[in-house]
Amino acid sequence: MTADRPYDIVLFGATGFAGGLTAEYLAGHADPGTRWALAGRNQATLTEVRDRVAAVNPACADLPLLHADTADTASIEEIAGAARVVITTVGPYAQHGEPLVAACARAGTDYVDLAGEPTFIDRMYLKYHEEATRSGARIVHACGFDSIPADLGVYFTVKQLPEDVPLHVEGFLRVHGDVSGGTLHSAIGIFADVPGMMSAERERRRVEGRPAGRRVRISRRPAPKTRVGDGWTLPLPVLDPQIVARSAAALDRYGPDFCYGHYLAVRRLAGAVGLAAGAGALFTLAQLPPARALLLRFRAPGEGPSAERRARNWFSLTFAGEGGGRRVVTEVAGGDPGYTETARMLGESALCLAHDDLPETAGQVTTAAAMGDALIDRLVKAGLTFRVLDAG
Ligand SMILES: NC(=O)c1ccc[n+]([C@@H]2O[C@H](COP(=O)([O-])OP(=O)(O)OC[C@H]3O[C@@H](n4cnc5c(N)ncnc54)[C@H](OP(=O)(O)O)[C@@H]3O)[C@@H](O)[C@H]2O)c1
């Protein structure tokens, strides 16, 4: 039991860009009585973050500050043992993430992060899923823009469709956003090790197996015409469809034969061509060490978009779902995807694990399987949109 631990939530990485926004979010929105603390490797910058947070909510002026450095295993074990839920924004996760996942799996501590790195997530599954299942820890990766809108959006869509029939869902993302230094460094790390990503995915498939008596697929067919408005679509090879498929494998409600396709939607053909060329160039440059070093200089860790820029950013993810003779169109939408909304989604995920009445789960689990309706309720109250556009 973790109820008698000193903190409900410890936030590790508060001195970074996404971590600082998450600290401000918790200061303004944590459920009354939540016992929480900030953790990091640098006491002086942690104190500055606490001052910022106290400007949002003066009651946070005495927030405890805990020392934790991923290079010091004992300090990581200490925060995992002191909290019911640990939030980490210490990335790139492939570089810094493993010690905390290991410590939480061992201590039975719930864990949420912002990892959009498939290799890291698959490796953590292979190494710690069983131990976390035994200890009761819920290890929930991708609790930001990667992959909550897709995961909970598909969950929401499936619930509008009939039960026990084959279901087909497609998601079309429209987005206007920016990247921080931490996101750039993590993305280049993914592009630079595609063979590592494929081998971790293969190994995971071998160990995990398929859901008994049901079929779950990610659509590999060429990008369809957008079925939810005008424009062009591109395949979007990000983490989201894998997370959706894991939720579908975990939850019978997704039916006996579930298929999901994930696409980027753009209004003009020139936009589609430009994006495809840009992604191809970035991928190619990331393979060459000198070009990779240059790319990494584009944005340093700790840097991110200003509040003014974030206020202009937005996203919408529209889903077309069909099955059992019904068709539905739904939407998840919000403001600045990568940071303002990500801090909100991450903060609410931790609060949900700490305070809500949830289905019994353990091990590496998705947001839909671990939190589902309770997290959607929280996000809607916090200002995100989940709605049915067309009920067929
Ligand atoms: N999934 C999504 O939608 C999403 C959205 C936003 C961000 N992200 C991910 O979130 C992560 C953080 O992004 P960011 O922009 O906030 O990065 P960032 O500003 O560079 O922050 C990194 C944080 O990690 C800390 N850190 C680094 N090495 C450490 C160590 N050895 N021990 C303890 N702390 C250490 C840094 O502490 P110091 O201040 O002491 O250096 C800082 O607090 C990235 O992996 C990014 O890809 C994902």
Side-chain angles (χ1 to χ4, degrees):
M1 277 301 285
T2 61
D4 54 353
R5 294 189 179 174
Y7 305 109
D8 295 313
I9 296 174
V10 167
L11 167 58
F12 182 37
T15 58
F17 190 73
L21 294 175
T22 307
E24 288 176 9
Y25 184 80
L26 288 176
H29 301 90
D31 302 29
T34 302
R35 302 162 301 148
W36 65 292
L38 304 176
R41 60 181 169 175
N42 182 327
Q43 196 74 10
T45 39
L46 267 185
T47 307
E48 284 169 27
V49 176
R50 182 171 61 186
D51 292 345
R52 252 170 69 198
V53 160
V56 175
N57 179 355
C60 296
D62 295 324
L63 216 52
L65 305 181
L66 313 178
H67 172 77
D69 187 324
T70 62
D72 169 5
T73 312
S75 71
I76 299 299
E77 282 172 352
E78 221 160 284
I79 59 169
R84 296 173 53 226
V85 185
V86 177
I87 304 176
T88 172
T89 56
V90 175
Y93 292 92
Q95 226 170 305
H96 302 300
E98 180 168 349
L100 185 58
V101 176
C104 288
R106 206 167 305 132
T109 305
D110 292 332
Y111 164 106
V112 292
D113 72 17
L114 290 180
E117 301 163 47
T119 316
F120 168 72
I121 295 174
D122 288 343
R123 290 198 173 131
M124 295 307 97
Y125 176 86
L126 291 165
K127 290 181 84 165
Y128 303 108
H129 173 69
E130 272 188 24
E131 188 171 12
T133 306
R134 280 196 301 273
S135 72
R138 293 170 288 190
I139 307 292
V140 198
H141 300 287
C143 293
F145 181 60
D146 289 314
S147 296
I148 283 188
D151 191 27
L152 292 185
V154 172
Y155 174 87
F156 177 77
T157 308
V158 162
K159 292 191 85 174
Q160 318 302 321
L161 291 165
E163 294 187 43
D164 300 322
V165 295
L167 300 178
H168 186 102
V169 180
E170 285 168 345
F172 299 92
L173 175 69
R174 290 193 163 84
V175 64
H176 185 270
D178 288 292
V179 294
S180 67
T183 301
L184 178 70
H185 285 238
S186 302
I188 289 177
I190 299 171
F191 286 161
D193 186 21
V194 172
M197 179 168 76
M198 290 168 69
S199 95
E201 193 186 331
R202 254 194 322 272
E203 183 59 8
R204 180 183 183 144
R205 260 206 312 271
R206 192 185 66 73
V207 171
E208 197 172 21
R210 296 166 195 271
R214 297 170 56 232
R215 208 152 84 110
V216 171
R217 290 168 295 146
I218 297 172
S219 173
R220 307 272 178 216
R221 73 189 172 106
K225 183 171 164 23
T226 160
R227 298 204 289 141
V228 290
D230 295 334
W232 299 79
T233 59
L234 294 169
L236 201 48
V238 290
L239 176 69
D240 291 356
Q242 293 176 33
I243 296 282
V244 168
R246 277 169 211 151
S247 294
L251 299 170
D252 288 346
R253 180 63 182 84
Y254 286 61
D257 186 355
F258 176 82
C259 181
Y260 180 63
H262 192 65
Y263 307 96
L264 182 68
V266 291
R267 295 230 178 274
R268 294 189 184 82
L269 179 59
V273 172
L275 276 169
L282 199 63
F283 177 81
T284 309
L285 291 172
Q287 311 309 307
L288 314 166
R292 189 154 72 227
L294 268 180
L295 284 176
L296 290 176
R297 271 193 236 148
F298 178 66
R299 245 186 199 165
E303 288 177 12
S306 66
E308 292 71 34
R309 282 191 75 96
R310 285 186 277 117
R312 289 197 294 269
N313 291 339
W314 55 269
F315 78 93
S316 80
L317 185 49
T318 312
F319 301 93
E322 59 194 15
R326 282 207 56 201
R327 180 167 192 275
V328 25
V329 179
T330 65
E331 180 191 60
V332 178
D336 173 57
Y339 302 96
T340 308
E341 296 296 14
T342 282
R344 182 180 289 184
M345 293 186 253
L346 183 63
E348 291 294 349
S349 300
L351 291 164
C352 186
L353 287 177
H355 297 304
D356 294 352
D357 191 12
L358 299 173
E360 191 111 333
T361 58
Q364 190 187 95
V365 282
T366 62
T367 54
M371 294 174 264
D373 296 315
L375 185 53
I376 292 178
D377 284 352
R378 280 185 169 270
L379 294 174
V380 168
K381 283 191 191 118
L384 254 88
T385 300
F386 281 76
R387 61 181 174 155
V388 177
L389 297 178
D390 182 352

